[in-house]
Amino acid sequence: MQTTSLILNGSTVSVSADGDTPLLDVLRNHLGLAGPKFGCGQEQCGCCMVLIDGKPEKSCGKALSTVAGKAVTTIEGLGTPEHPHPLQQAFLDEQAGQCGYCLAGILVSAKALLDHNPSPSRREIALALDDNICRCGSHPRILRAIERAALRMREGASR
Ligand code: FES
Ligand code: FES
């Protein structure tokens, strides 16, 4: 057992747990975040995806010790019900999702994409989501939602 500090959604937190505990378990069981989901547990589905220093990573395959001192962003860090991130609003507007199990992972992958490419092509969006599986087949709506969010963010930036 050791104490590890990281920056979670903008705030420093400390966790007492074995260093080899999967980050996903720490987020859900130690820190009470229900956004990142357990799907396969084998780095195959992407529903546990979070941003680590801005880069999408599958948290089921990341040991807690590897994120010491790093910035971890989950879906809870994107926006709030009162002030949703443009991506969250666009997913609502497009009704992009069915069961929703994949969406926390997809939204953080999409955020990482738009953070460095504000005007992605449909192919670039699809490539950015290559590690995120949606078993409900909501891909067309998900692509539309990300395009809608990108447009809104560009319009907002140009005002
Ligand atoms: S639960 Fe992590 S990739 Fe599937
Ligand atoms: S909305 Fe159900 S898995 Fe994607």
Side-chain angles (χ1 to χ4, degrees), residues 78 85-92 107 110-111 114 145-146 149-150 153:
L78 261 61
H85 188 281
L87 276 163
Q88 291 169 313
Q89 187 61 55
F91 272 65
L92 284 171
L107 279 156
K111 180 179 188 306
L114 297 188
I146 295 170
M153 290 166 74

Side-chain angles (χ1 to χ4, degrees), residues 21-44:
T21 307
L23 176 59
L24 178 61
D25 291 0
V26 172
L27 293 172
R28 292 185 59 85
N29 301 334
H30 295 248
L31 298 169
L33 297 183
K37 299 288 190 287
F38 182 93
C40 63
Q42 298 180 350
E43 299 186 274
Q44 298 293 314

